[in-house]
Amino acid sequence: MLVLVLGLTAAGAYFARDWYGAAEEETGGPAGETLPLAEQPGSPTVELSPDATAHPLGESVRQLLQTYFDAINGRNFDRWQTTVTADRVAATSEQQWLNDYDSTQDGSILVYRIESAPRNTLRVQVGFTSKQDIAQAPADLQVECINWYLALPVTKQGGQWKIAEAEPGGKQVNKPC
C-alpha cells in the first residue's frame, strides 16, 4: 500500500510540475509582465495559448472567462453570477462582492491550458494582471499591481460551464508587477 501511495504522490508531483511549469515555458508569462506599470493591467480581452486553443472547449472557456472578467471590470454582480456555480453565488452577497472588487481592473488575461478532470469538470490554468487599491489587495501582498497564475476549477451546472470555488490549498501564484 505504501508503494502505491508513494507512486501516486510521485506521479502527482510530476504532473503538477508539468501543469504549472507550462505557462512560463510556453509564453514566458502573461503579457502584463512586460508592460510598464502605467499601462497595467493591459488588455481586458481573454486570449488562449496555442495549447488552450487546441482543446475542444477552448472557445467556450474563453467566452466564460471573458464574461467573468468583464463582470468584474464593469462591477456587474448580476453578470458575474451567471459565470460561477450556485455555491459561489450563495456564499457571496452583492455588497461583499462590490467591496471586494470595487477598485479591481483585470487584464493581460491568458488561458495557458485546459484539462479535462473527473466528474465532468475542467481545470483551467490562467494568468492575468490585476490592479487595485492597495487596501483591497490580498493581505499577504499589499501592492497596487499583481500578476496572478492559478488553476480555476470549471464544472458543468444546469447544462452550462461555471467557475467553481478554487480548492483550499490549490496551486496559486501571485507576484507584484
Side-chain angles (χ1 to χ4, degrees), residues 92-105:
T92 309
S93 74
E94 183 171 6
Q95 191 56 55
Q96 181 61 49
W97 186 86
L98 289 169
N99 290 343
D100 289 347
Y101 292 108
D102 180 51
S103 66
T104 301
Q105 285 297 307

Side-chain angles (χ1 to χ4, degrees), residues 76-152:
N76 189 330
F77 180 72
D78 291 336
R79 191 171 188 194
W80 175 83
Q81 288 181 308
T82 69
T83 66
V84 298
T85 59
D87 290 348
R88 288 189 69 183
V89 170
T92 309
S93 74
E94 183 171 6
Q95 191 56 55
Q96 181 61 49
W97 186 86
L98 289 169
N99 290 343
D100 289 347
Y101 292 108
D102 180 51
S103 66
T104 301
Q105 285 297 307
D106 293 325
S108 301
I109 307 156
L110 179 61
V111 177
Y112 292 106
R113 183 175 291 176
I114 302 165
E115 289 189 351
S116 298
R119 296 182 303 278
N120 204 23
T121 63
L122 303 170
R123 282 189 216 109
V124 178
Q125 183 183 3
V126 63
F128 63 96
T129 300
S130 182
K131 278 188 85 171
Q132 64 281 315
D133 291 340
I134 292 175
Q136 291 178 312
D140 63 340
L141 190 59
Q142 293 282 291
V143 295
E144 178 185 355
C145 186
I146 301 172
N147 289 314
W148 292 89
Y149 304 88
L150 47 99
L152 293 175

